[in-house]
Amino acid sequence: MEAPLDDQESLGVGLKPGDAHYRACVGPSEDYDLIAAMAFNLLTTLGLRQHHSLLDVGCGSLRIGRLLIPYLNRGKYFGVEPNEWLVEQGIKRELGRALLEIKRPTFFFSDSPETIAQAKVPFDFALAQSIFSHCGLDLIKNWLSAISHALADNGALVATFLPGEEDSPQTGWVYPEYVKYRPATLRRVAAEASLRFELLDWGHPQQKWAIFAGPKFDSGWFKNRPLTWNSGLEKILGKNKVGNAAPATPAISADLWHGEGHIYDEGGLRSIHNHEFLDDPAFRKAYERGVRAAGDDYRWHWRVHVGLWAAACAARLEGDFVECGVNRGFLSSAIMDYLDWDSLGKQFYLLDTFRGLDERFVSPEDKASGAGEKNTQNLATGFYVQGVEEVRANFSQWKNVSLIEGPIPETLPMVRANKIAYLHLDMNCSPPEVAAVRFFWERLSPGAPVLLDDYAFYGYVSQKIAMDRFAQEKGINILSLPTGQGLLLKPPRAC
């Protein structure tokens, strides 16, 4: 049944976004209720509880605040909005003065990110719905920096943006126009603000939800399963049962969560096929060792699964293991844990500059693919290690390991192995990778796997082209994997 005409008019139905109406001014009036419900449900699914403090960036006419303010305890809601009239209309038309007196929200009438420092409380959650879709990158950086300083270590900013193939050149505030950004760009600026950027599988009528998480924010519980209220509730109940510590294994059987039909969605790979290896205790233990080495979970589960399979096959062959491009040792640490390394009697040679790319060995094709920019970014964000001592400490657990510091190909002769059973190449540029596979080719045992970390990875086509030339020369084929890796086996007869 349609609402009377005067109700439609009072709700701003039919007006354009940005029109001078308290609902239309903040977006399509027809979606006012939908956006509110969607954001409130997302926040509570992610763990928002009534005792938490929340910052609502661009709170406007309290589209979402009208649900959050009654839900949160007194004094726990903080809104930032430059247009005071919008907040006044939201209080008058949506919230009510009585509830305002009971809940005592705080409002900052400003467009400056620095304003939020006045709150003098660590926020558990922050919300920026339809803000970054109207901000120049300069303004996004300012907000991320300010919010990062105001967030609790286990806090998170939940925000929307419009993904695009190119980054908008706009600066400042551009409402009601829209701007788009590459997810990789937002990941980079998040890292600059010491935040972790992750896309969220949560529907939105026009935009994409993402989370900018603090260092201790727990997102692991929804990385390998759909983000739903049921899984969120399971996490909460699990904490309550064991003194605020999540259970080590899911309460539901593995074949329900990670078997056939469950959605795997990580690292550019989305699949409904069976991936119950995620629930194998040996895999989980090895993966956790890799995370400990890296200091972060990069959500590389299927890539690590491929690496562990290749290493387990290689363990039966004659020869030592070699990894060129180690960084902090995520995969190699997982392999050594998985294989009970020192029991094999093999040596693991780990070669890296431990300081990023050596520009002398970056090809023009790699430079054209952005290898230099990626290297600078990875060093600046701390993704790349800068120094071998941290890595040496990580591998001190095992005896049979040799760390070789320096650029490839210069350090290749320092590998003393006569036979090699496993070779992993992950150097993010083609000349050292081709040099390494050529150098070790004759020493590879028949059937030895050569795992190419970046072979099919998006944005690394120069490496694929170079390795394809090598494979063609040897008369072999490289298996392209949906994880972004490539895999080849040394034939029984030398090529």
Side-chain angles (χ1 to χ4, degrees):
M1 181 176 180
E2 287 191 4
L5 182 60
D6 57 341
D7 283 350
Q8 293 281 341
E9 290 178 350
S10 66
L11 297 178
V13 175
L15 297 178
K16 300 189 300 297
D19 282 350
H21 181 279
Y22 82 96
R23 283 193 171 206
C25 188
V26 299
S29 298
E30 292 79 3
D31 292 340
Y32 195 85
D33 62 327
L34 178 65
I35 297 295
M38 171 188 59
F40 182 83
N41 286 331
L42 174 57
L43 287 165
T44 51
T45 298
L46 288 171
L48 177 69
R49 304 294 298 278
Q50 62 181 6
H51 61 277
H52 286 148
S53 295
L54 179 136
L55 173 69
D56 190 356
V57 180
C59 62
S61 57
L62 307 184
R63 174 170 49 185
I64 304 166
R66 64 197 176 125
L67 301 182
L68 290 168
I69 292 170
Y71 173 76
L72 295 171
N73 289 346
R74 185 173 182 170
K76 294 295 185 178
Y77 176 92
F78 297 80
V80 181
E81 173 57 50
N83 299 300
E84 187 171 354
W85 74 269
L86 276 175
V87 175
E88 286 298 325
Q89 283 291 301
I91 294 171
K92 177 180 179 181
R93 308 288 291 272
E94 301 290 342
L95 186 69
R97 295 287 174 185
L99 197 54
L100 188 72
E101 290 299 317
I102 294 171
K103 291 294 185 174
R104 299 288 178 87
T106 299
F107 296 104
F108 302 112
F109 298 114
S110 171
D111 60 1
S112 172
E114 286 72 25
T115 303
I116 63 177
Q118 298 176 24
K120 297 181 180 180
V121 297
F123 297 113
D124 299 289
F125 285 91
L127 175 68
Q129 201 288 134
S130 198
I131 301 299
F132 293 172
S133 51
H134 304 286
C135 278
L137 200 59
D138 58 330
L139 196 51
I140 292 177
K141 289 180 178 181
N142 290 342
W143 276 110
L144 289 179
S145 176
I147 291 172
S148 177
H149 285 95
L151 273 180
D153 285 347
N154 61 347
L157 163 67
V158 183
T160 63
F161 74 103
L162 279 170
E165 296 182 359
E166 300 291 336
D167 297 327
S168 169
Q170 295 273 21
T171 59
W173 180 248
V174 296
Y175 189 78
E177 289 77 23
Y178 287 96
V179 291
K180 297 182 178 181
Y181 297 102
R182 294 175 297 169
T185 298
L186 295 184
R187 182 172 291 108
R188 173 176 58 80
V189 297
E192 291 172 0
S194 301
L195 297 171
R196 187 176 71 250
F197 174 86
E198 298 179 22
L199 294 173
L200 296 177
D201 186 13
W202 196 266
H204 191 287
Q206 297 93 22
Q207 303 184 38
K208 182 72 177 176
W209 283 103
I211 195 166
F212 297 80
K216 295 184 180 180
F217 181 82
D218 178 15
S219 60
W221 60 272
F222 60 81
K223 284 185 176 179
N224 298 309
R225 63 175 71 176
L227 177 57
T228 66
W229 171 252
N230 286 351
S231 54
L233 181 61
E234 180 189 333
K235 175 178 181 287
I236 294 171
L237 296 178
K239 278 188 173 182
N240 291 341
K241 288 179 181 178
V242 290
N244 292 331
T249 55
I252 309 299
S253 63
D255 61 348
L256 175 61
W257 288 118
H258 299 131
E260 183 178 329
H262 175 263
I263 297 174
Y264 178 97
D265 190 0
E266 287 183 2
L269 173 59
R270 184 177 177 89
S271 174
I272 61 171
H273 299 314
N274 188 295
H275 46 281
E276 61 188 10
F277 64 83
L278 288 169
D279 296 295
D280 174 19
F283 171 85
R284 294 177 64 168
K285 180 173 176 290
Y287 188 87
E288 289 168 4
R289 183 60 182 85
V291 169
R292 180 151 57 93
D296 199 358
D297 184 354
Y298 302 132
R299 302 178 66 181
W300 286 350
H301 292 87
W302 214 310
R303 289 168 70 183
V304 172
H305 173 57
V306 171
L308 295 182
W309 174 88
C313 293
R316 301 170 179 267
L317 303 176
E318 181 184 3
D320 295 321
F321 281 32
V322 177
E323 180 173 80
C324 299
V326 181
N327 199 21
R328 290 181 171 82
F330 194 123
L331 181 57
S332 43
S333 295
I335 287 173
M336 296 171 84
D337 183 279
Y338 191 70
L339 297 179
D340 187 15
W341 182 248
D342 285 335
S343 70
L344 295 183
K346 297 179 181 292
Q347 193 75 6
F348 209 136
Y349 293 90
L350 302 169
L351 292 78
D352 202 308
T353 65
F354 300 106
R355 297 183 185 280
L357 301 183
D358 187 319
E359 293 185 1
R360 294 177 299 160
F361 304 110
V362 180
S363 72
E365 293 80 8
D366 292 325
K367 290 180 180 178
S369 295
E373 290 83 354
K374 293 171 188 173
N375 182 60
T376 300
Q377 175 185 332
N378 287 331
L379 286 169
T381 61
F383 179 79
Y384 280 170
V385 70
Q386 297 192 51
V388 72
E389 293 309 315
E390 174 187 341
V391 186
R392 197 181 304 281
N394 171 70
F395 285 102
S396 63
Q397 173 183 343
W398 298 284
K399 297 178 181 178
N400 300 329
V401 58
S402 297
L403 285 171
I404 299 175
E405 182 181 9
I408 291 173
E410 293 176 354
T411 55
L412 293 174
M414 299 174 68
V415 177
R416 305 300 183 187
N418 295 320
K419 286 286 186 180
I420 295 171
Y422 167 89
L423 177 61
H424 179 219
L425 303 178
D426 181 14
M427 289 177 278
N428 298 332
C429 60
S430 52
E433 293 200 349
V434 174
V437 73
R438 287 189 184 281
F439 183 87
F440 294 122
W441 188 252
E442 296 303 323
R443 299 194 220 177
L444 288 169
S445 295
V450 179
L451 185 60
L452 310 174
D453 186 76
D454 306 310
Y455 176 77
F457 214 80
Y458 177 78
Y460 292 82
V461 68
S462 59
Q463 290 170 252
K464 181 181 187 301
I465 292 171
M467 202 57 68
D468 281 343
R469 289 179 186 145
F470 170 80
Q472 185 177 17
E473 173 189 320
K474 296 296 182 182
I476 56 178
N477 294 314
I478 300 174
L479 175 64
S480 182
L481 299 173
T483 55
Q485 297 158 297
L487 179 66
L488 64 90
L489 302 176
K490 176 70 178 293
R493 290 177 294 175
C495 297

